Amino acid sequence: MTTRTLLETGHPDPGRGPGRPPRTAPASTPVAVFAPPEDPHDRIRMIRAHAAAAGSLSVRAHGARTWGFRGRTLSRRADDHRWLRVVSTPQDKQPGITWDGTACADALLPRSVPRPRVHDLLEWRDRTHRYRAELSEHLPRPALQSGGPVLARDLYLPDTWWADLRAALTVTATVPTRRQAGWIRSSWIDRHFSRLLGIPAIQVTSWTTGHGDLHAGNLFGPPLVIINWEGWSRMPTGFDAGLFHAYSLRRPATAARIRAAFPDVFSTVEGRVGELVALAHLLQVSERGGHPELTPHLARRAEQLTGTPVPFPPAPAS
């Protein structure tokens, strides 16, 4: 697999205590996070960028358009056995670790971690944005869920699937990397734990390599396949399982199954710290308008772990 560069081509700018009721967040307007850009010009720009990438990579894009987080990415099926994903970022913004995360994961993770293969890459710029296209293996079956990461229905999966997921995360944890998301550093915990969780910052003593965005929309099965590796990096031990669990809190049976699959996360101090980081992360997402339906469940779980009510609204970030 090689990375190619498309030069400027003239394309258009392409817990709760006894007797205490659960705390709830103030009413907020739901924000669709997996949706086209709000600005129609950005939507047209991304559609044209995707078409330009398909032409340069000599594939035929077809089928439904799949938008990523707030329209930052656009994906479609390409030919019969490929999947073409295009991501963009403004020229004046330095790309973060997610920019090349999928390709790095494809190159560095052992093949025993089930994921789509990346076949070709393409990068280019226009007057306002830079773009990256990834042509990957197409999976001819749907993910466990579409439309968003908050689990909408219980997952009924065989024990072998859960064992495979645990094994994949265990192998991933052994891969050395210097990749680390800016928000998941100790400085982020020091700054946000008190205002989001109502407790003093906790020192993370155990770090590992993880996926970073584990939820039903990024999982297939059976057999297990894990997609969207763009944010894989160093993170607190237990973060992946804690995040999957947090996204599943509206479905108690599945949340219980996740806890049973990862006893070393949910019954150890290190794992609970990782879970608290995941809860704080999603509470910050909720603070910005994302997943309001999940917020009271996040608050209740955090209070179960800490014994401290989650502050609503959180104090402004300093």
Side-chain angles (χ1 to χ4, degrees):
M1 178 186 68
T2 58
T3 303
R4 294 186 279 168
T5 301
L6 176 64
L7 300 177
E8 180 109 20
T9 59
H11 294 294
D13 290 353
R16 117 193 112 132
R20 182 189 303 162
R23 295 173 64 87
T24 58
S28 58
T29 301
V31 176
V33 295
F34 292 94
E38 293 183 3
D39 187 334
H41 294 94
D42 279 332
R43 179 173 184 168
I44 293 171
R45 176 182 57 79
M46 285 295 291
I47 290 172
R48 288 173 171 168
H50 195 282
S56 296
L57 293 170
S58 301
V59 295
R60 182 180 67 88
H62 61 96
R65 295 186 177 97
T66 300
W67 294 94
F69 184 78
R70 292 181 177 170
R72 190 178 68 90
T73 69
L74 175 58
S75 303
R76 293 183 78 187
R77 191 167 177 177
D79 292 339
D80 293 329
H81 306 294
R82 299 288 184 265
W83 184 254
L84 179 59
R85 174 182 180 271
V86 172
V87 58
S88 75
T89 190
Q91 286 273 29
D92 59 357
K93 182 179 180 181
Q94 188 66 24
I97 65 165
T98 59
W99 186 251
D100 62 352
T102 300
C104 287
D106 185 68
L108 298 177
L109 295 181
R111 291 316 312 175
S112 59
V113 179
R115 61 193 186 280
R117 297 299 301 263
V118 178
H119 296 290
D120 209 345
L121 301 169
L122 180 69
E123 290 190 4
W124 75 99
R125 303 182 183 211
D126 63 21
R127 293 187 300 274
T128 61
H129 287 74
R130 66 175 67 186
Y131 301 87
R132 182 179 177 93
E134 297 163 347
L135 187 64
S136 303
E137 173 187 2
H138 174 256
L139 301 175
R141 51 197 171 94
L144 294 177
Q145 177 171 291
S146 62
V150 178
L151 192 63
R153 61 177 180 81
D154 278 309
L155 302 177
Y156 298 100
L157 298 160
D159 290 345
T160 53
W161 186 93
W162 292 101
D164 289 344
L165 177 61
R166 180 182 176 88
L169 297 183
T170 299
V171 171
T172 300
T174 67
V175 178
T177 182
R178 294 182 178 179
R179 293 170 51 86
Q180 188 167 26
W183 72 265
I184 210 169
R185 299 176 189 272
S186 296
S187 57
W188 183 91
I189 295 171
D190 293 342
R191 184 180 181 188
H192 293 291
F193 251 46
S194 176
R195 70 180 201 85
L196 292 172
L197 297 178
I199 61 173
I202 293 176
Q203 182 178 4
V204 179
T205 60
S206 179
W207 296 81
T208 190
T209 302
H211 179 274
D213 194 21
L214 202 69
H215 56 73
N218 284 336
L219 295 168
F220 287 68
L224 170 71
V225 179
I226 307 174
I227 64 171
N228 290 344
W229 286 86
E230 63 175 8
W232 75 283
S233 65
R234 298 290 290 175
M235 57 195 59
T237 297
F239 178 86
D240 274 341
L243 188 69
F244 187 20
H245 181 262
Y247 274 131
S248 305
L249 286 171
R250 296 181 69 213
R251 311 303 304 185
T254 298
R257 186 64 185 86
I258 295 170
R259 294 194 299 272
F262 297 95
D264 52 332
V265 171
F266 296 99
S267 63
T268 65
V269 173
E270 294 83 1
R272 285 194 292 271
V273 170
E275 184 186 359
L276 284 172
V277 174
L279 289 167
H281 166 58
L282 291 187
L283 284 168
Q284 187 178 53
V285 173
S286 295
E287 176 187 26
R288 297 169 176 172
H291 317 316
E293 76 281 16
L294 188 61
T295 306
H297 302 273
L298 299 172
R300 186 178 297 111
R301 177 62 179 175
E303 186 172 344
Q304 287 174 350
L305 295 178
T306 67
T308 301
V310 168
F312 282 116
S318 58

